[in-house]
Amino acid sequence: MTPRRILACLAMLVVTTVPALAANPQRWQLNMTPGVTEYSRQVYDLHMLILWICVVIGVIVFGAMGYAIFKFRKSKGAVAAKWSHSTVAEVTWTVIPVLILIGTAWPATKTLIWIDDARESEMTIKVTGYQWLWRYEYIGTDVNFISRMDRESDRTRMLRSGMDPAAVQRDGENVYLLDVDNPLVLPTNTKVRFVITANDVIHSFWVPALGWKQDAIPGFINEAWTEIHTPGTYRGQCAELCGKDHAFMPIVIEAVPREQFDIWLEEQNRLAAGDAGDSNAPLAQLAADDALLANATESL
Amino acid sequence: MATDTATTVHDDGHEHAPSFIDRWFFGTNHKDIGTLYLLFSLAMFLIGGAMAMIIRAELFMPGMQIVNPEFFNQMTTMHALVMIFGAVMPAFVGLANWMLPLMIGAPDMALPRLNNLSFWILPFAFLIMLSTLFMEGGGPAGGWTLYPPLSLQQGNSMAFVIFAIHMMGLSSIMGAINIIATVLNMRAPGMDLLKMPIFPWTWLITAFLLIGVMPVLAGAITMLLTDKFFLTSFFNAAGGGDPVMYQHIFWFFGHPEVYIMILPAFGVVSEIIPTFSRKPLFGYQAMVYATASIAFLSFIVWAHHMFTVGMPLGGELFFMYATMLIAVPTGVKVFNWVSTMWQGSLTFETPMLFAIGFVVMFTIGGFSGLMLAIVPADYQYHDTYFVVAHFHYVLVTGSVFALMAGAYYWLPKWTGYMYNETLGKWHFWLSTIFVNLLFFPQHFLGLAGMPRRIPDYNIAFSDFNMISSIGGFGFGLAQLLFVYVVWSCARGRSGIKVGDRVWEGARGLEWTVPSPAPHHTFTTPPKFDDRDLAHGDVSH
């Protein structure tokens, strides 16, 4: 654990020098970002490894093909050879790919085993997908609220609204369809476990900066975890088709330092307990909760 | 065995010209049914393409300009169903109908009346399915995968969709039975299985896949039907059911299904590349075994479509390894095509251009497929535009390009006239440029974080979406050129009549019959030299 922590801290130093924006989608962005967790960085490394392997194989195969296309033209007087076999060649290009695949599967397996392990988390968030919003519950507290797309995006996305998507801004950044009323607030440098489910149809919880998505399935509880090192705002979207407003249920994570988070959670907890005292109300009572929670989280 | 006398009598019986209705509606001739299949699939290709144009028009820029999200979802769902079941699959069945008997030296398909039935189910199936777009509540909008519980939110029109898919499944199963019966029983004397051309081989294997998985799809959608209308709870968690089980059953069909759409494409390309390289197919037996291995592996990789549903670690590892293994036989195929070209004597007529385009761009789709196999990376790629780019590379620049290649390759045999080579080349280059403009930027969109199946997106995704849409419109328009080329070729507009062996390097029994192929061929089994077979491989 310790060496990884040290690495993570180093990574954090590097990452913090880059604008916090870089975790969110940019215009003309060509590649996945390394994200803001050790998890997402490992995923990114695997992605780059397999990408480069493909590029190298591609250069060899397409190079050979291009050579054949230019060299063995009938118009240049090429005469066809008669051979149609080469056992050596065939064995070679069966065995070498197998070796390459083993070389790729090895780190992928190591990473997968590591990221599968959600134990030793310090807190748990329950995420529930609904058509078309998210509910976040801070397990062990009374804090429990819903999070839906911001009003400005919602007005702008109406059919032929005549409004300009580019005008939906927050802090100078375009947040069209990627902003919410109540973000999920998380502490940094804390292993947070998510338990993820849904109440109606299947949704999928995805924040690219964290490096994973996990389906939210009615009747199932899925598990995932994260440990964010860089404070910031990280945006994502539902990734499983869930009906007409599938495109309009964004996810926003506000990662703040632990001390700040503790203060926030305590305040929310007090508000929630004082206001209603019925944090165990059935989840289906969304409408009733909505009004309360809108007030409770206004203070953010 | 038919004697010469019997054959003559038989021919005489068909000398009279059947009426239009008799020939095209009640006919059992494999060539006519092949033509019907091909024309039907072309019509579906245009209808599915029109839906894609609506999708790309809405995605041209951020904000909702043209359609509402409900209709957008119906378009993405219908586009996929129409293209898969209406365009690609029937097109390959059409090629099989036309070419298998010609390639193996059979007078017709083994079961001609079944052949008529399996075609004529299709127009009605699609009429029913497309009509749901005009019903109350609209057509299916839950994606072509029809995942419950979302798909169960469709209105009562869902019953029509399921019935239509059942009909398509029946049609496919009957077609597959016919192909197996034909290939196994009706090969010309002396044509051992391992002397058979590669296209019939790939279709033989594909037909087994069809029989293996179409009933599984039928089971899955029947359970959807009873969940929706008869209050069962197969997939309803609240009733003790399991929505993930649907995905397992669906993809047990769905993964072999993607090979059903690509294996015959491998066959077509493996016929064309040797012809225009004037050199035998490299590693014929390896090609056959690679096809069989891919078919086998296709049954044990289904859950790689479901890495994010919360499978246990062991399951994820197994499906990752099995999926990666597919790269090996697929790689063998690509290497063999390149080796076939190596030291050949190459010319670049339109079929060869499409075949080369196929090899390059299908390989790109294969690379992204390999990337998607890596589970941790798939946690990011899954359900994004990266996946959309991947399967369009293997399906459009893969299957569809192979179909185009096959159409140009055999058009002169079908019509007796050469198509317009200049327009064919224009069609190829326009298609290739625009299709890459269309799908390549979608890799970037997915990696940058754009989910699939969304009608609207953040400004960050606007530039590549606009490029993609422009590519889409261009690709769509270029296909109208193909329609014109086919029409003008069928009308003999070029005025260039072709001989039996249309292409200099062509090998195989289909090139020993006149062009256009007469209504009845091989009424007596042909005698042939092994070197006449397409792969020209006589070493065993």
Side-chain angles (χ1 to χ4, degrees):
Chain A
M1 230 18 220
T2 335
R4 185 161 282 134
R5 289 255 165 154
I6 294 165
L7 260 180
C9 289
L10 285 173
M12 189 178 128
L13 276 174
V14 177
V15 171
T16 41
T17 57
V18 179
L21 279 180
N24 293 315
Q26 302 293 302
R27 289 184 86 140
W28 300 108
Q29 183 178 331
L30 296 175
N31 198 4
M32 190 189 285
T33 62
V36 292
T37 64
E38 170 63 15
Y39 188 138
S40 64
R41 200 190 55 75
Q42 290 210 16
V43 168
Y44 173 80
D45 288 346
L46 275 175
H47 158 70
M48 291 312 287
L49 172 71
I50 187 75
L51 176 63
W52 281 115
I53 289 174
C54 289
V55 168
V56 170
I57 299 173
V59 166
I60 295 169
V61 173
F62 300 149
M65 212 171 158
Y67 183 80
I69 287 172
F70 285 99
K71 179 84 179 172
F72 306 120
R73 284 173 174 257
K74 193 183 179 216
S75 58
K76 285 186 175 174
V79 178
K82 295 275 178 248
W83 49 266
S84 62
H85 284 290
S86 164
T87 309
V88 176
E90 291 182 71
V91 170
T92 312
W93 63 49
T94 307
V95 171
I96 290 180
V98 170
L99 297 178
I100 294 174
L101 289 178
I102 292 170
T104 317
W106 184 258
T109 304
K110 254 172 51 183
T111 300
L112 190 59
I113 290 170
W114 176 66
I115 65 187
D116 188 61
D117 184 3
R119 285 174 302 181
E120 291 174 30
S121 60
E122 293 167 62
M123 60 181 284
T124 300
I125 306 279
K126 182 177 173 199
V127 176
T128 311
Y130 297 84
Q131 287 175 314
W132 291 275
L133 43 85
W134 296 97
R135 172 182 292 273
Y136 302 121
E137 294 169 69
Y138 291 71
I139 301 294
T141 75
D142 287 335
V143 181
N144 162 0
F145 58 86
I146 65 170
S147 174
R148 65 173 75 187
M149 192 167 74
D150 66 298
R151 299 239 165 136
E152 207 190 339
S153 288
D154 200 43
R155 278 195 294 267
T156 309
R157 66 97 178 174
M158 292 298 163
L159 186 61
R160 291 185 277 273
S161 67
M163 296 168 75
D164 181 11
V168 184
Q169 304 255 344
R170 179 185 286 255
D171 305 328
E173 185 191 10
N174 182 274
V175 292
Y176 178 55
L177 304 181
L178 291 182
D179 203 16
V180 295
D181 49 3
N182 305 311
L184 173 64
V185 180
L186 293 179
T188 53
N189 297 318
T190 307
K191 185 165 182 177
V192 181
R193 173 171 162 262
F194 293 89
V195 288
I196 300 170
T197 187
N199 200 44
D200 35 45
V201 301
I202 302 172
H203 304 269
S204 189
F205 186 85
W206 183 35
V207 177
L210 305 192
W212 49 266
K213 63 177 69 70
Q214 186 63 256
D215 289 359
I217 303 172
F220 278 69
I221 292 181
N222 275 331
E223 196 179 51
W225 63 273
T226 193
E227 185 171 346
I228 303 172
H229 299 301
T230 322
T233 307
Y234 306 115
R235 301 175 192 280
Q237 285 180 269
C238 176
E240 177 67 47
L241 178 61
C242 58
K244 71 182 175 73
D245 287 352
H246 165 53
F248 311 119
M249 48 183 293
I251 298 154
V252 178
I253 289 179
E254 198 92 57
V256 297
R258 187 63 192 251
E259 310 77 54
Q260 204 177 324
F261 173 81
D262 288 340
I263 296 166
W264 175 86
L265 188 66
E266 204 173 308
E267 190 185 337
Q268 295 305 311
N269 207 14
R270 200 171 50 242
L271 281 170
D275 260 355
D278 65 344
S279 60
N280 294 324
L283 290 184
Q285 290 185 356
L286 264 182
D289 286 6
D290 196 359
L292 291 174
L293 293 167
N295 289 331
T297 50
E298 204 64 76
S299 54
L300 255 182
Chain B
M1 266 284 90
T3 64
D4 279 357
T5 336
T7 314
T8 322
V9 171
H10 176 82
D11 268 349
D12 282 346
H14 285 74
E15 276 308 317
H16 73 281
S19 73
F20 180 84
I21 302 264
D22 278 348
R23 177 172 176 190
W24 294 107
F25 287 83
F26 301 112
T28 55
N29 182 286
H30 73 100
K31 300 183 185 80
D32 288 346
I33 290 174
T35 303
L36 286 172
Y37 263 112
L38 289 169
L39 290 177
F40 174 79
S41 65
L42 183 59
M44 287 297 132
F45 181 58
L46 297 177
I47 290 174
M51 293 171 179
M53 294 300 106
I54 293 172
I55 293 167
R56 281 320 317 172
E58 181 53 60
L59 291 171
F60 186 73
M61 52 195 273
M64 301 295 296
Q65 293 88 17
I66 298 170
V67 297
N68 57 40
E70 296 92 316
F71 188 70
F72 182 90
N73 289 346
Q74 291 175 35
M75 284 295 100
T76 52
T77 306
M78 276 291 192
H79 164 73
L81 289 169
V82 167
M83 286 303 200
I84 292 169
F85 293 106
V88 175
M89 289 171 70
F92 281 120
V93 180
L95 287 184
N97 262 293
W98 245 106
M99 302 317 299
L100 288 200
L102 287 181
M103 294 173 108
I104 63 173
D108 202 316
M109 297 294 280
L111 309 159
R113 294 186 187 201
L114 190 75
N115 210 10
N116 176 293
L117 180 61
S118 59
F119 171 76
W120 278 106
I121 286 174
L122 280 183
F124 295 99
F126 278 88
L127 210 60
I128 291 170
M129 195 177 76
L130 291 170
S131 71
T132 61
L133 287 173
F134 305 99
M135 290 181 187
E136 195 184 339
W144 82 280
T145 51
L146 302 172
Y147 280 6
L150 181 63
S151 63
L152 300 173
Q153 291 182 345
Q154 193 192 338
N156 289 340
S157 66
M158 183 181 187
F160 290 89
V161 175
I162 289 178
F163 186 56
I165 296 175
H166 273 307
M167 289 168 75
M168 296 167 205
L170 270 177
S171 164
S172 293
I173 291 171
M174 288 192 277
I177 289 172
N178 210 345
I179 285 166
I180 292 174
T182 306
V183 171
L184 292 186
N185 295 312
M186 298 186 65
R187 297 190 312 280
M191 187 179 288
D192 306 341
L193 274 178
L194 278 174
K195 287 182 187 170
M196 187 167 71
I198 202 88
F199 180 62
W201 250 118
T202 54
W203 242 118
L204 178 65
I205 292 167
T206 303
F208 279 102
L209 288 185
L210 274 169
I211 293 178
V213 301
M214 294 312 285
V216 178
L217 174 67
I221 60 176
T222 303
M223 286 187 266
L224 278 185
L225 188 79
T226 61
D227 270 12
K228 169 86 182 168
F229 296 103
F230 303 105
L231 302 179
T232 57
S233 293
F234 289 110
F235 308 129
N236 176 6
D242 181 345
V244 177
M245 183 175 73
Y246 173 85
Q247 299 185 20
H248 281 291
I249 300 172
F250 179 86
W251 286 114
F252 188 82
F253 145 79
H255 199 79
E257 168 69 18
V258 307
Y259 291 103
I260 287 166
M261 293 190 284
I262 202 67
L263 294 184
F266 291 166
V268 170
V269 168
S270 302
E271 299 290 342
I272 292 172
I273 289 181
T275 294
F276 296 96
S277 302
R278 291 165 182 76
K279 188 162 157 280
L281 181 66
F282 182 91
Y284 164 80
Q285 289 205 3
M287 287 301 227
V288 171
Y289 297 138
T291 308
S293 323
I294 293 173
F296 168 74
L297 288 173
S298 79
F299 280 105
I300 56 165
V301 296
W302 74 88
H304 67 212
H305 298 267
M306 307 163 50
F307 282 147
T308 62
V309 300
M311 263 188 297
L313 178 64
E316 306 229 308
L317 287 174
F318 170 78
F319 285 107
M320 174 168 76
Y321 300 148
T323 305
M324 291 171 81
L325 264 185
I326 293 188
V328 177
T330 312
V332 165
K333 287 194 157 286
V334 173
F335 299 140
N336 283 8
W337 288 320
V338 176
S339 306
T340 304
M341 291 165 66
W342 197 261
Q343 290 188 354
S345 173
L346 276 60
T347 52
F348 301 92
E349 289 86 346
T350 310
M352 183 63 164
L353 289 177
F354 271 101
I356 292 174
F358 167 93
V359 176
V360 173
M361 290 181 276
F362 170 78
T363 304
I364 292 175
F367 285 145
S368 53
L370 186 57
M371 295 172 73
L372 283 157
I374 309 295
V375 178
D378 183 74
Y379 286 170
Q380 287 280 37
Y381 307 141
H382 181 77
D383 263 336
T384 68
Y385 257 81
F386 189 82
V387 177
V388 178
H390 158 71
F391 67 69
H392 281 100
Y393 262 90
V394 289
L395 258 178
V396 179
T397 58
S399 303
V400 173
F401 265 48
L403 284 165
M404 296 292 176
Y408 282 107
Y409 185 55
W410 287 309
L411 253 182
K413 177 55 65 190
W414 300 335
T415 63
Y417 291 96
M418 185 50 79
Y419 58 84
N420 184 326
E421 186 67 56
T422 312
L423 286 182
K425 285 191 169 133
W426 269 97
H427 175 223
F428 169 76
W429 285 109
L430 288 174
S431 295
T432 302
I433 290 165
F434 282 120
V435 86
N436 283 291
L437 214 52
L438 166 57
F439 294 123
F440 208 81
Q442 295 183 358
H443 292 117
F444 306 141
L445 287 170
L447 293 176
M450 180 169 164
R452 64 190 282 208
R453 291 167 166 168
I454 57 173
D456 198 5
Y457 47 80
N458 181 263
I459 302 295
F461 307 126
S462 56
D463 309 287
F464 283 128
N465 267 297
M466 192 176 280
I467 292 172
S468 181
S469 287
I470 292 168
F473 302 143
F475 182 73
L477 286 174
Q479 304 322 304
L480 299 180
L481 190 58
F482 174 69
V483 175
Y484 174 76
V485 172
V486 171
W487 176 81
S488 70
C489 180
R491 297 294 299 267
R493 285 293 189 89
S494 72
I496 309 169
K497 285 196 175 279
V498 293
D500 297 1
R501 194 177 299 275
V502 176
W503 311 104
E504 185 192 19
R507 292 288 175 276
L509 294 178
E510 77 262 41
W511 308 108
T512 61
V513 302
S515 306
H519 216 227
H520 296 284
T521 40
F522 300 129
T523 44
T524 45
K527 293 198 171 22
F528 58 89
D529 185 331
D530 282 355
R531 276 165 299 187
D532 282 343
L533 298 181
H535 55 88
D537 180 356
V538 290
S539 57
H540 48 270

